[in-house]
Amino acid sequence: MTGFLFRRLLNYIVLCLLATFLAFSLASLTFHPLDQLKQRNPPPPAATIQAKAHELRLDQPIPLRFAHWMGGAVRGDFGETINGTPITAELGRRVGVSLRLFLIGTVLGIGLGVLVGVVSAIRQYRFSDYFATLLAFVVLSTPVFLLGTLLKFGALQLNTAAGTTLLNFTGESTPNFTGSFGAAVLDRLQHLVLPTLTIALGQIALYSRYQRSAMLDVLGSDFLRTAQAKGLTRRRALFKHGLRTALIPMATLFAFGFGLLITGGAFTEQLFSWYGMGNWLVTGITTQDTNITATVTLFVAVCVLVSGWLSDLLYAVLDPRVRL
Amino acid sequence: MTMSRTEQDAAGTLESAAGSPVEPGFAPGAATTRGRLVLRRFLRNRLALVGLVVVVLLYVTAFLGPAISPWTYDSQDYTAFLVPPSPSHWFGTTQIGGDVFVQTMRGLQKSLTIGLLVGVISTSVAAVVGAAAGYFGGWADRALMWLVDLLLVLPSFLILAILSPGLQQTGWLIFVVLLAAFSWMITARIVRGMTLSLREREFVKAARFMGEAPWRIIARHILPNMASLLIIDATINVGTAVLTETGLSYFGFGVQPPDVSLGTLIRDGTQSALTTPWLFLPAGILLIVSVLAVNFVGDGLRDALDPSSTRGRRRERRAKATAGRRAAVSVDERTSTSGAVA
């Protein structure tokens, strides 16, 4: 089992490097970081442009630029943004903001998604099943940015009805917040509810559909009948034998799901003015900044790596055949 | 989010198509009977039928609407700035007097057209590449699997966003090509898995021993046997493509300003969503309704084309009929998947 996990880890690391290289090259090829400088009025002298190009290493071939950037990244220096501020200074805070959103979103999404799926499968063709199915379909057909906007809309109605600001939808905390520790936590929570809901709803809908079909397959199986025949209660048989088997195909899905979560995260951050990694990517692309883009890509790749590796681990725990 | 749903959805179909003899022979009589059977099963599914009608209606309205309305999508009414819906402007107007109804219809046109094109193109590419990888194996196979794994680590959304600034002047057809170019990988992997099992079937072996060229075998014997999967997948990919397109356009990375898509309309409308909801609600509702309708059609097609699916039949029969087969195939599918990633 250790060998299996180690091989997967190695595979992921190579993929990570390759993905970052690809993003770096694509960004270097399509971005024109000097345009902003050239369009200034009066136009700056050619020497200034050349100096900037030299500073951004545009006079070097792309693989060399990548090697330089990666060399720095390994030592914790991700280069500078196009405006000259070091990326590392901002990185920690932004990673924290994004991870908070992703982790809570994933845990909520997987937990509730599996629960809804299992309940739907057990109560197949009842009202609750139809209701959950319809709701999941609607959520899956709604893009994240629209879902977030509609939630904002709802929150505003709620706030007006309540007369105070129950749910906040700009930023991740109130700027210059002063108050006790408890009040600060409450303030963060008020800001956290809507973005987390935005990101988790899609995950819940997605996982519940899979979990439902996986569970339905298991429900008709012989081993579940055997488990009940040997004297287990239906509930025990369902959870000990049924759910465990039905979770196996899900393990592979969690890695996929995380990649999608990151895309959704970019929208959510943009929508609720959270200054996280997704928001940074958009900034990076609009300011034609290769370093920011590469840094965000590396972050995404590492996230997918960790979640992929964790889902391999989960797979190994759930399915004894892998451990052989 | 539909990316991985596709894989799972198709996995359900895969089980039936690969695990049961769908129609090994190609007698014309048998084909029509199956066609009629599928049609009957599809028509029986109310939700899918409604979905199909809605999609067709929306598409027709998207083209007819602007023709009926006196306004065009880039004209301005200088007597009506930011007015709510009224008889002269059915969905109201924007800050500069543009007619929201016509703009929404124009956006719907664009979004649905892009979605349909991308769905068809990416599924075709996936079919050819996946079948080739599965059939030939070796290097072709390994390269394809690496591409799919790479897409897992590097979401296609990210690649498209990075590429977009360089393509802002090139028009929406290039955008379609790009979208299609980065959305075939997951389907290709499913097709590959099915090809691996079809390759060992008697009728494919027979064709091989008769000296048929590999490409002819793929086109004549392998792809027709997964036609149901491909049709379902194309449908689901349409929904995914619409969502990706609107998402990219929302960020300003997709369809560019003089032109509109549902994504750009929603972006422009949500800036003042709370005071002027008519600016984004029509586009938003139409977007949800159209993707929902496409998904219902896909779901109905799966039920109609998948012999093991028994929606509408009695429950007891279903459990017995599918249990054995699913258990057998799910092991097979798992080995092929893990083998691919390792």
Side-chain angles (χ1 to χ4, degrees):
Chain A
M1 179 177 156
T2 328
F4 166 76
L5 289 176
F6 184 73
R7 250 182 296 130
R8 297 308 310 259
L9 187 65
L10 209 67
N11 180 40
Y12 282 130
I13 290 175
V14 173
L15 271 175
C16 250
L17 282 177
L18 201 69
T20 317
F21 176 64
L22 207 68
F24 190 91
S25 318
L26 282 179
S28 304
L29 284 173
T30 48
F31 288 178
H32 302 286
L34 294 177
D35 276 4
Q36 209 188 349
L37 198 64
K38 280 182 195 160
Q39 280 159 3
R40 267 193 206 161
N41 205 6
T48 316
I49 293 175
Q50 227 158 26
K52 184 77 181 171
H54 183 71
E55 189 196 318
L56 293 173
R57 302 182 160 265
L58 295 182
D59 46 2
Q60 290 180 2
I62 290 169
L64 218 62
R65 272 190 257 166
F66 178 71
H68 174 82
W69 180 81
M70 201 66 219
V74 171
R75 278 177 277 114
D77 172 22
F78 293 88
E80 294 181 339
T81 66
I82 201 154
N83 302 320
T85 53
I87 284 181
T88 316
E90 221 175 320
L91 187 67
R93 193 178 51 77
R94 283 188 184 263
V95 166
V97 168
S98 282
L99 277 186
R100 177 155 28 120
L101 196 61
F102 291 163
L103 285 182
I104 302 177
T106 313
V107 169
L108 265 183
I110 293 178
L112 286 179
V114 167
L115 191 73
V116 171
V118 168
V119 171
S120 283
I122 293 175
R123 305 179 57 85
Q124 195 191 11
Y125 299 137
R126 305 269 185 82
F127 173 75
S128 54
D129 177 33
Y130 280 122
F131 186 70
T133 303
L134 188 71
L135 214 60
F137 259 108
V138 172
V139 170
L140 284 175
S141 306
T142 313
V144 178
F145 58 91
L146 194 55
L147 192 67
T149 311
L150 292 175
L151 282 176
K152 259 172 141 173
F153 212 69
L156 190 83
Q157 310 280 357
L158 186 75
N159 286 345
T160 332
T164 58
T165 313
L166 278 181
L167 299 170
N168 237 309
F169 44 78
T170 33
E172 38 127 2
S173 61
T174 310
N176 310 321
F177 185 82
T178 48
S180 65
F181 178 74
V185 170
L186 189 70
D187 176 62
R188 293 251 160 175
L189 271 180
Q190 282 177 332
H191 284 86
L192 194 65
V193 172
L194 283 181
T196 310
L197 213 57
T198 308
I199 213 164
L201 275 179
Q203 301 264 310
I204 295 172
L206 182 76
Y207 290 135
S208 72
R209 295 312 296 151
Y210 288 114
Q211 187 62 53
R212 179 178 179 275
S213 72
M215 195 70 193
L216 276 179
D217 287 349
V218 171
L219 279 182
S221 61
D222 293 334
F223 68 82
L224 207 62
R225 198 181 46 197
T226 313
Q228 271 175 285
K230 77 172 186 188
L232 286 184
T233 60
R234 182 168 158 77
R235 179 180 296 262
R236 247 184 103 72
L238 277 179
F239 281 89
K240 202 169 163 219
H241 297 269
L243 183 60
R244 178 169 168 166
T245 317
L247 272 176
I248 295 175
M250 301 290 290
T252 345
L253 194 71
F254 294 146
F256 265 107
F258 205 80
L260 298 168
L261 183 76
I262 289 170
T263 312
F267 288 108
T268 311
E269 286 172 13
Q270 196 77 352
L271 208 57
F272 293 99
S273 326
W274 280 42
Y275 296 106
M277 295 304 273
N279 167 279
W280 216 13
L281 175 72
V282 179
T283 316
I285 293 172
T286 41
T287 57
Q288 309 267 295
D289 194 318
T290 310
N291 284 351
I292 292 181
T293 311
T295 309
V296 176
T297 311
L298 186 63
F299 168 74
V300 170
V302 169
C303 278
V304 176
L305 178 149
V306 172
S307 67
W309 199 68
L310 279 179
S311 87
D312 284 342
L313 193 71
L314 193 65
Y315 203 104
V317 169
L318 287 171
D319 192 347
R321 280 172 295 186
V322 178
R323 275 178 257 161
L324 294 179
Chain B
M1 55 184 60
T2 4
M3 186 199 290
S4 44
R5 191 176 41 168
T6 316
E7 180 156 64
Q8 179 80 4
D9 282 346
T13 328
L14 176 143
E15 290 168 8
S16 59
S20 67
V22 178
E23 72 277 71
F26 285 96
T32 52
T33 325
R34 175 164 155 80
R36 234 176 262 155
L37 183 77
V38 166
L39 187 68
R40 205 167 60 213
R41 292 179 65 153
F42 184 80
L43 292 181
R44 204 187 296 148
N45 188 337
R46 281 254 180 78
L47 217 48
L49 200 61
V50 170
L52 186 64
V53 172
V54 168
V55 172
V56 172
L57 271 184
L58 279 179
Y59 206 44
V60 172
T61 324
F63 280 95
L64 277 186
I68 299 170
S69 168
W71 311 100
T72 61
Y73 78 98
D74 48 0
S75 70
Q76 290 170 19
D77 182 355
Y78 295 108
T79 60
F81 295 129
L82 211 59
V83 295
S86 66
S88 63
H89 294 283
W90 300 331
F91 287 175
T93 59
T94 64
Q95 289 90 330
I96 55 164
D99 185 79
V100 178
F101 172 74
V102 179
Q103 283 188 0
T104 308
M105 288 302 130
R106 171 92 184 175
L108 189 64
Q109 250 178 51
K110 194 109 290 171
S111 290
L112 281 179
T113 311
I114 292 179
L116 289 170
L117 281 177
V118 171
V120 172
I121 297 176
S122 67
T123 307
S124 316
V125 173
V128 173
V129 178
Y135 189 81
F136 295 116
W139 275 108
D141 193 19
R142 245 168 281 167
L144 175 81
M145 286 310 106
W146 258 85
L147 267 181
V148 175
D149 277 356
L150 196 63
L151 193 75
L152 194 80
V153 179
L154 193 66
S156 58
F157 190 88
L158 212 151
I159 309 176
L160 286 167
I162 293 175
L163 282 176
S164 64
L167 300 154
Q168 274 173 359
Q169 274 81 42
T170 47
W172 64 277
L173 271 174
I174 300 291
F175 185 47
V176 168
V177 173
L178 264 184
L179 269 177
F182 288 106
S183 48
W184 55 269
M185 280 87 153
I186 310 286
T187 311
R189 181 145 145 191
I190 303 161
V191 171
R192 171 191 169 270
M194 289 182 67
T195 310
L196 283 181
S197 63
L198 279 174
R199 193 174 61 174
E200 303 306 321
R201 296 280 289 276
E202 294 81 359
F203 60 94
V204 174
K205 277 188 179 159
R208 192 155 59 220
F209 296 147
M210 271 159 31
E212 285 241 50
W215 281 108
R216 265 181 83 85
I217 296 181
I218 288 177
R220 279 283 191 76
H221 301 284
I222 291 187
L223 289 183
N225 269 287
M226 48 175 102
S228 31
L229 166 96
L230 293 176
I231 293 171
I232 296 163
D233 222 74
T235 317
I236 290 164
N237 280 347
V238 170
T240 318
V242 172
L243 290 182
T244 315
E245 180 272 320
T246 46
L248 283 164
S249 299
Y250 180 83
F251 274 149
F253 297 150
V255 172
Q256 292 302 317
D259 220 330
V260 289
S261 100
L262 291 181
T264 62
L265 286 173
I266 292 172
R267 178 196 55 198
D268 296 342
T270 45
Q271 278 155 9
S272 51
L274 304 174
T275 47
T276 56
W278 68 85
L279 285 184
F280 89 100
L281 272 184
I285 291 170
L286 282 178
L287 177 59
I288 298 180
V289 168
S290 49
V291 177
L292 196 60
V294 167
N295 282 344
F296 279 148
V297 173
D299 209 47
L301 276 176
R302 179 178 28 254
D303 285 345
L305 287 165
D306 178 353
S308 76
S309 158
T310 42
R311 184 178 293 184
R313 288 196 221 156
R314 302 221 341 252
R315 273 171 75 190
E316 298 80 13
R317 285 230 307 267
R318 174 199 174 95
K320 276 184 198 149
T322 48
R325 176 160 50 215
R326 297 221 170 188
V329 184
S330 63
V331 174
D332 174 52
E333 152 70 2
R334 189 167 317 125
T335 39
S336 77
T337 318
S338 51
V341 193

